[in-house]
Amino acid sequence: MKPRTQYRSRRVQSVLFEPDHTSMIVRNRQGRHYLIHGDDTRLITGFGDPLDAPATMGYGIYHDADRPNTMWIRDRTGLRPIQGVAATPLERDAPWTRVATRIPNHPIPSPYA
């Protein structure tokens, strides 16, 4: 039987990761991905090396509890830091599509994965 996953705080390699309910990833018409975190918007340029995440850790966007602006994504490859640069989404790049980040066993559709 598969373990049940939950989107809640988890400690991985002595770092406490908390779910970030306010953040989301969106994709524009050209296929670029942006992380929107409150007033901060970042163009995603890639992901760092994955950490082994517990099997019960739910998919989604997390932040480091000690560094709230350090964003991580938990997907089928593990727990990876999101790398990006400050950006401003432009209306001309519409339509914007929200990327599903909490669907179990669903790959994050990204050219950087």
Side-chain angles (χ1 to χ4, degrees):
M1 183 176 198
K2 287 176 74 174
R4 183 172 169 223
T5 62
Q6 295 180 336
Y7 186 58
R8 64 178 180 84
S9 299
R10 300 289 174 137
R11 189 167 295 281
V12 178
Q13 294 185 5
S14 72
V15 177
L16 180 62
F17 292 97
E18 295 179 339
D20 201 306
H21 301 283
T22 61
S23 296
M24 69 176 147
I25 295 176
V26 295
R27 180 179 52 243
N28 68 4
R29 180 180 57 200
Q30 292 85 5
R32 293 185 189 100
H33 291 75
Y34 292 81
L35 171 69
I36 298 175
H37 175 66
D39 293 339
D40 184 33
T41 301
R42 299 196 164 275
L43 171 65
I44 297 175
T45 58
F47 299 105
D49 295 329
L51 298 177
D52 289 331
T56 56
M57 186 176 197
Y59 287 38
I61 300 171
Y62 291 82
H63 65 263
D64 180 338
D66 293 329
R67 296 179 293 173
N69 290 327
T70 303
M71 308 303 291
W72 293 71
I73 190 156
R74 163 68 166 112
D75 64 5
R76 67 182 179 165
T77 62
L79 184 63
R80 303 180 293 166
I82 299 174
Q83 300 167 344
V85 295
T88 303
L90 302 174
E91 189 61 37
R92 71 171 189 239
D93 292 335
W96 292 89
T97 307
R98 187 170 181 170
V99 175
T101 57
R102 303 233 2 250
I103 299 174
N105 297 321
H106 182 73
I108 303 301
S110 167
Y112 323 107

